[in-house]
Amino acid sequence: MDFFSLIEELSPEYGPAGFEDRVRDLLWQKLTPLCDETWTDTMGNLIGVKRSVQPDAKKLLLDAHMDEVGLIVTGIENGFLRFGNLGGIDARVLPATTVTVLTQDGPLPGVIDTMPPHALSTEDMDKAVPMDALVIDVGMTQAEAEAAVPLGTPVAFCTRPERLAGERITGKSLDDRACAAMLLLVLEELKNTALPVDLYVMFSVQEELGTRGAGCGVYGIDPDWALVLDVTHAKTPDARSVTLMDLGGGPAIGVGPNMTRAISDTLIRLAKETVSPYQLEIMSGSSGTNAWPIQISRGGIAVGVLSLPLRYMHTPQEVIDGRDAEYMVRLVTEFVRRIEEVRAW
């Protein structure tokens, strides 16, 4: 397996938050050969475990969410589909976007309507169209659309991943399929390793709807440590550069109250020892990741956050740097091998 090949498979697959069945089936195929046991829980989280050689070993959980932001059909008017959002989507990116309506009879292509500039006043051209004023055109009459698209049908972006210059990659749902791909690569790296812990991997659901899946999944696993892999915002020319990460500058190690300091410190030390570039991401409150519910599960769990810099989050064309993924796989692999070095806090 290599990173881009995994992205080519995982990124295009559909898995809007709450409707992750298709991407879960694909990940199940990838995960099962790398684990001793694989299962799903009631929420739909996909979990695998690679057992330690030691009896009664402690548990380490690695988490990446499998869901993506999407839309959901809320009404049909004159054959056009009204919709709401599944997760945080900026309505400004939607007009003229191609989408896939995930009907029970199969994927149905559509395009979100937009007025051509010729028909807009100067005043209207400066305004963003609110989501509740947009519709999806699937080319159907009212009767055809009512028969084909039940209310509550999920909708997903349908772009495919592409290589940009250098090591950069663009595509949909790189938040968080890129991290899902990295977890598979970590397991591949560790396939012949005698682990000091039982290593659990969770591809969690409904992160984009409030980190719901991970909170349930971690309760069932009850790990001693957890490491959450997610994405974070990368710098662009118009961004507040002080608060964002450099694309290509290495993974971002989270530091703050949502992360156990002993894990953050261990990640920093291991990055230095393995000569892996890294960045620090200081978060004063919630990390906005699955670390939030994991940290307070049961009696509390020691958790860390490692993030991949990403541009244009929650759009059909997110951008990452493959070098950051390489450094991140290296760091996570070393962290698993040396998890017992995490100091008491």
Side-chain angles (χ1 to χ4, degrees), residues 101-157:
V101 183
L102 302 172
T103 74
Q104 293 182 348
D105 293 329
L108 177 67
V111 61
I112 298 177
D113 73 314
T114 182
M115 288 288 288
H118 317 71
L120 294 173
S121 67
T122 302
E123 181 181 354
D124 287 338
M125 288 183 68
D126 293 332
K127 294 180 181 178
V129 181
M131 192 175 297
D132 60 8
L134 295 169
V135 293
I136 300 171
D137 185 350
V138 290
M140 292 183 171
T141 65
Q142 180 72 13
E144 290 170 337
E146 288 178 349
V149 187
L151 300 187
T153 298
V155 180
F157 296 137

Side-chain angles (χ1 to χ4, degrees), residues 3 178-179 181-187 189 229 251 306 323-335:
F3 181 66
C179 293
M182 285 187 279
L183 286 188
L184 293 172
L185 291 173
V186 168
L187 286 171
E189 288 287 325
L229 276 63
L306 197 58
R323 294 170 297 179
D324 292 329
E326 176 186 347
Y327 303 142
M328 200 155 159
V329 169
R330 183 191 308 171
L331 183 53
V332 175
T333 302
E334 194 68 10
F335 179 77

Side-chain angles (χ1 to χ4, degrees), residues 239-269:
R240 295 170 295 166
S241 60
V242 174
T243 62
L244 304 182
M245 301 294 111
D246 290 313
L247 202 65
I253 299 172
V255 177
N258 189 197
M259 287 69 67
T260 302
R261 188 63 199 231
I263 291 182
S264 300
D265 288 346
T266 299
L267 289 169
I268 293 168
R269 177 172 56 82

Side-chain angles (χ1 to χ4, degrees), residues 70-119:
L71 308 170
I72 187 168
V73 175
T74 59
I76 303 175
E77 297 179 13
N78 300 317
F80 294 87
L81 311 182
R82 293 284 181 188
F83 59 87
N85 62 306
L86 295 171
I89 296 180
D90 187 344
R92 294 176 301 172
V93 308
L94 293 179
T97 296
T98 54
V99 294
T100 300
V101 183
L102 302 172
T103 74
Q104 293 182 348
D105 293 329
L108 177 67
V111 61
I112 298 177
D113 73 314
T114 182
M115 288 288 288
H118 317 71

Side-chain angles (χ1 to χ4, degrees), residues 145-167:
E146 288 178 349
V149 187
L151 300 187
T153 298
V155 180
F157 296 137
C158 60
T159 47
R160 297 192 64 83
E162 300 284 351
R163 288 187 183 272
L164 301 179
E167 299 295 323

